[in-house]
Amino acid sequence: MKKNEKSKLYNMLVKQFPLAFKGIAERCEIGHKKYSDIDHDYQGFTRTPKEQYKDAIIRHLMEDGEPEEISLDHLKALAWNVVALLELELREINNGKSN
């Protein structure tokens, strides 16, 4: 991308993947309710160690979780955990704390 070129976020995210991002948002809301004690501001994911996201990614890849979860639930949760982990990593890099 050129220096002054702006990302076309709507086209790149919302227009291409509307159902996927809706699914991630649904899992976000489930997690928000489940972890309301630490997620009062939708930033609870920032107060969770990154290792927990790595563990959750593996669990959801293996479809290991709540008995009522179906494959699609695991896929949505997997995507949410990957996005949360990516966000934390990018925030660290942007704050000059890269490993």
Side-chain angles (χ1 to χ4, degrees), residues 19-20 22-24 26-27 60 71-81:
L19 299 176
K22 183 178 179 190
I24 292 171
E26 289 168 359
R27 285 307 291 208
H60 288 293
S71 290
L72 189 56
D73 295 324
H74 288 291
L75 190 55
K76 291 175 186 178
L78 173 64
W80 186 91
N81 279 281

Side-chain angles (χ1 to χ4, degrees), residues 13-57:
L13 299 175
V14 179
K15 196 170 179 183
Q16 286 187 35
F17 307 109
L19 299 176
F21 280 102
K22 183 178 179 190
I24 292 171
E26 289 168 359
R27 285 307 291 208
C28 182
E29 190 62 32
I30 290 168
H32 177 68
K33 289 176 183 173
K34 185 175 180 179
Y35 301 106
S36 61
D37 57 326
I38 66 162
D39 198 34
H40 54 279
D41 57 357
Y42 286 91
Q43 293 295 305
F45 77 97
T46 65
R47 296 183 276 280
T48 302
K50 290 188 294 185
E51 291 75 25
Q52 287 186 18
Y53 295 112
K54 293 174 183 178
D55 288 337
I57 288 166

